[in-house]
Amino acid sequence: MSFLPPLIESLPASVAPRLEQGLSQLDIAITPAQREQLLGLLALLHKWNRAYNLTAVRDVDEMVSRHVLDSAAVAPFIRGPRLLDVGAGPGLPGLVLAILKPELQVTLLDSNGKKVRFQRQAVMELALSNVTPTQARVEQFAGQHFDQVISRAFASLVDFVTLTRPLPTADGQWLAMKGPGADDELRDLPAGVELNARHLLNVPFETAERQLLILTPKGVE
């Protein structure tokens, strides 16, 4: 990945220490190659965002916490090996999880062409062999099954589960990254789906409440 260092050098000096401190607080250890990939992802996101408006977050220091560390916070709950990121946008959390867990096979799904183009560019430049960007509407995406289906900012819980109902394996899981207002959504879950676990996420440098809801078909542990 010899082409990454010049890209990383364009980042402010504050970014790498902020990333490393945040990962340490999450108790996530990374290799030098993973550090380079995560910094490269931030540099690419910051560069592309100026022209393509991929995210409302403009400040790259804020991208560290709001995007990379927020995505990394769910890593302990990812088992894979096949993970589908629905409404992935520029590839979050899927790209971060693919970097942190190279044993995963990650499919990124989004209907927005410019965001999928960014995903493909990031996969190429970061040399990620375990990521498949896919441009499609979720309701038209079929024929594959995944051990876990994750969503960071895709839709309500009801829409998330309903639109992806055929996609998890028989003992698969839905993982929904949510803010504090998820209780009302939980009351409206479709029949046959239940809350399996709820984990509060302590995202470094963020004060807003974040949680991960793990949903399963009823009767599945």
Side-chain angles (χ1 to χ4, degrees):
M1 295 185 294
S2 59
F3 49 83
L4 279 182
L7 188 64
I8 293 169
E9 287 169 9
S10 69
L11 291 168
S14 56
V15 171
R18 185 177 176 89
L19 174 67
E20 289 159 11
Q21 181 184 342
L23 290 171
S24 177
Q25 289 180 31
L26 290 171
D27 199 24
I28 294 175
I30 57 171
T31 65
Q34 288 170 318
R35 176 186 182 274
E36 191 170 80
Q37 286 175 314
L38 290 172
L39 289 171
L41 175 59
L42 283 162
L44 285 169
L45 191 57
H46 186 52
K47 176 182 175 182
W48 275 60
N49 204 41
R50 295 172 187 159
Y52 292 98
N53 194 29
L54 300 173
T55 165
V57 179
R58 300 294 178 187
D59 180 78
V60 70
D61 280 317
E62 197 175 347
M63 286 179 181
V64 173
S65 54
R66 294 276 298 277
H67 290 329
V68 172
L69 297 177
D70 185 73
S71 298
V74 303
F77 310 105
I78 303 299
R79 65 185 192 197
R82 291 161 298 172
L83 177 71
L84 173 65
D85 182 358
V86 175
L92 302 165
L95 287 174
V96 174
L97 295 171
I99 291 169
L100 295 177
K101 291 178 169 283
E103 71 276 10
L104 289 176
Q105 291 298 320
V106 178
T107 298
L108 306 174
L109 182 64
D110 203 279
S111 61
N112 185 301
K114 65 182 179 182
K115 293 179 179 178
V116 175
R117 282 194 294 277
F118 173 78
Q119 295 171 13
R120 290 175 178 146
Q121 187 71 18
V123 165
M124 182 185 71
E125 296 207 31
L126 303 177
L128 294 173
S129 61
N130 60 333
V131 181
T132 304
T134 305
Q135 184 178 347
R137 296 181 62 85
V138 64
E139 56 268 37
Q140 297 168 339
F141 182 71
Q144 299 183 56
H145 294 93
F146 299 87
D147 303 285
Q148 292 178 305
V149 179
I150 194 167
S151 167
R152 183 167 177 257
F154 170 62
S156 69
L157 278 179
V158 174
D159 287 346
F160 173 41
V161 172
T162 301
L163 289 169
T164 61
R165 194 67 179 265
L167 299 177
T169 59
D171 59 349
Q173 297 178 330
W174 290 275
L175 279 63
M177 301 171 68
K178 288 288 181 179
D183 286 344
D184 289 340
E185 296 182 35
L186 282 168
R187 283 191 281 269
D188 296 326
L189 280 180
V193 177
E194 62 185 353
L195 178 67
N196 179 276
R198 183 198 298 252
H199 302 282
L200 293 180
L201 303 173
N202 295 312
V203 180
F205 314 117
E206 289 292 310
T207 56
E209 180 183 309
R210 297 288 283 153
Q211 57 182 321
L212 177 68
L213 306 178
I214 301 180
L215 310 172
T216 56
K218 284 187 177 177
V220 174
E221 292 297 325

